[in-house]
């Protein structure tokens, strides 16, 4: 391993923030508080191109579970981050993932001034301070807001405020946001949350729909296979809407 990576000095230029709640943190392969350790080939580590900002703000080779030292109150497993990274690396080059998601969190806990929000901004700034450029925020959250009419009715405004705040605080007014429309949650308000997510109409904000992806037996968390698929869907969205176009090859 590169010595600069060992002492935390390595800094990939292309940086992606992973944030939200448990389905972004990853519960794929977790049963009864134990992760089965199975890593699909699509989520394999790449020691030369895919890195992760640790809780101590040092880069290391990224590997599952990406959120193991971030979402520490629950057992983490496979999420969408590694599948996403492997799907975009050929286009974007070496990249850094900044995991920030914490399970069981509502949108109000991601308001400016709250610990989760401030920690996410601090971690993003740390990556930028090392010379990284934030390419996108990948956001999967909303299940915890499907529990009440009030939370559902205020979700769109709260999410739009979060987008405005994170762009302002990182001085990135056009920061791409790729949010996931939830696939699970309390049946009373899940559709209202999904409608709110898909109704957000701000520049450089796109939505990927997770509905239909396979859920575990708890009917809340995505399976490992579903997380692999979600990561590829997020990658497709990024490459389609935000990645630089591939250089043209001159014909002979």
């Amino acid at each position: 391993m590169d010595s600069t990576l060992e002492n935390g000095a390595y800094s990939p230029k292309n940086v992606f923030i992973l944030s939200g709640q448990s389905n972004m943190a990853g519960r794929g392969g977790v049963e009864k508080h134990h992760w089965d350790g199975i890593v699909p080939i699509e989520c394999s580590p790449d020691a030369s191109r895919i890195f992760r900002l640790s809780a101590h703000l040092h880069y290391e080779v990224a590997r599952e579970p990406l959120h193991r030292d971030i979402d520490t109150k629950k057992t983490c497993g496979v999420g969408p981050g590694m599948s996403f990274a492997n799907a975009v690396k050929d286009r974007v080059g070496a990249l850094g993932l900044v995991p920030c998601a914490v399970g069981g969190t509502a949108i109000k806990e991601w308001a400016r001034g709250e610990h989760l929000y401030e920690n996410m901004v601090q971690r993003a700034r740390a990556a930028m301070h090392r010379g990284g450029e934030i390419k996108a925020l990948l956001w999967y959250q909303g299940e915890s807001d499907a529990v009440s009419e009030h939370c559902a009715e205020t979700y769109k405004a709260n999410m739009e405020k979060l987008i405005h705040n994170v762009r302002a605080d990182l001085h990135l007014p056009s920061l791409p946001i790729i949010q996931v429309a939830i696939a699970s949650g309390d049946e009373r308000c899940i559709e209202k949350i999904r409608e709110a997510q898909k109704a957000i109409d701000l520049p450089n904000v796109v939505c990927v729909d997770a509905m239909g992806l396979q859920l575990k037996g708890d009917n809340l968390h995505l399976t490992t296979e579903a997380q692999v698929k979600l990561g590829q869907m997020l990658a497709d969205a990024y490459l389609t809407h935000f990645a630089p176009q591939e250089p043209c090859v001159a014909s002979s």
Side-chain angles (χ1 to χ4, degrees):
M1 184 183 296
D2 190 313
S3 62
T4 58
L5 183 58
E6 289 179 345
N7 63 27
Y10 182 83
S11 298
K13 181 179 179 182
N14 304 293
V15 176
F16 296 87
I17 304 169
L18 312 176
S19 200
Q21 55 182 116
S22 57
N23 273 317
M24 178 59 79
R27 299 290 187 264
V30 175
E31 296 293 342
K32 297 181 179 179
H33 312 294
H34 175 74
W35 178 47
D36 61 16
I38 296 174
V39 178
I41 190 170
E42 297 91 342
C43 303
S44 298
D46 184 335
S48 65
R49 290 194 287 179
I50 305 176
F51 305 94
R52 181 191 86 105
L53 193 70
S54 74
H56 298 292
L57 306 181
H58 293 156
Y59 273 113
E60 60 191 23
V61 175
R63 62 185 74 250
E64 299 286 8
L66 283 175
H67 280 78
R68 57 189 175 274
D69 59 351
I70 302 297
D71 189 12
T72 56
K73 294 182 180 180
K74 298 288 180 66
T75 302
C76 293
V78 174
M82 287 300 296
S83 171
F84 168 84
N86 276 302
V88 302
K89 66 185 182 183
D90 287 342
R91 277 277 293 277
V92 306
L95 59 97
L97 301 173
V98 181
C100 301
V102 176
T105 55
I107 191 73
K108 66 182 181 182
E109 297 176 77
W110 292 92
R112 180 188 271 161
E114 297 292 334
H115 170 73
L116 292 174
Y117 176 85
E118 298 300 333
N119 185 61
M120 176 177 67
V121 170
Q122 177 194 25
R123 289 174 57 72
R125 286 174 174 163
M128 295 169 73
H129 182 70
R130 292 174 176 272
E133 298 178 6
I134 310 295
K135 298 299 184 180
L137 164 63
L138 311 186
W139 179 264
Y140 191 165
Q141 187 277 335
E143 296 93 340
S144 290
D145 291 279
V147 298
S148 77
E149 292 283 346
H150 174 72
C151 291
E153 289 169 359
T154 58
Y155 189 87
K156 182 173 181 285
N158 286 331
M159 185 62 201
E160 289 174 342
K161 184 177 291 185
L162 185 151
I163 292 169
H164 170 80
N165 287 343
V166 74
R167 285 173 166 175
D169 290 343
L170 295 179
H171 304 290
L172 296 171
S174 300
L175 175 67
I177 311 288
I178 306 175
Q179 63 162 347
V180 180
I182 59 174
S184 59
D186 193 303
E187 64 181 18
R188 290 173 295 177
C189 297
I190 181 175
E191 283 306 320
K192 287 188 176 181
I193 295 292
R194 285 173 44 78
E195 288 169 10
Q197 292 170 324
K198 292 188 284 186
I200 292 174
D201 185 20
L202 296 173
N204 284 357
V205 177
V206 299
C207 186
V208 166
D209 196 346
M211 185 60 74
L213 294 179
Q214 185 179 25
L215 299 175
K216 295 165 53 178
D218 60 9
N219 288 317
L220 180 63
H221 296 110
L222 299 183
T223 64
T224 294
E225 293 77 12
Q227 288 285 17
V228 170
K229 176 61 176 175
L230 178 61
Q232 294 169 341
M233 292 165 62
L234 289 164
D236 287 343
Y238 177 74
L239 295 175
T240 299
H241 296 281
F242 304 119
Q245 296 300 308
E246 293 182 284
C248 296
V249 179
S251 58
S252 56

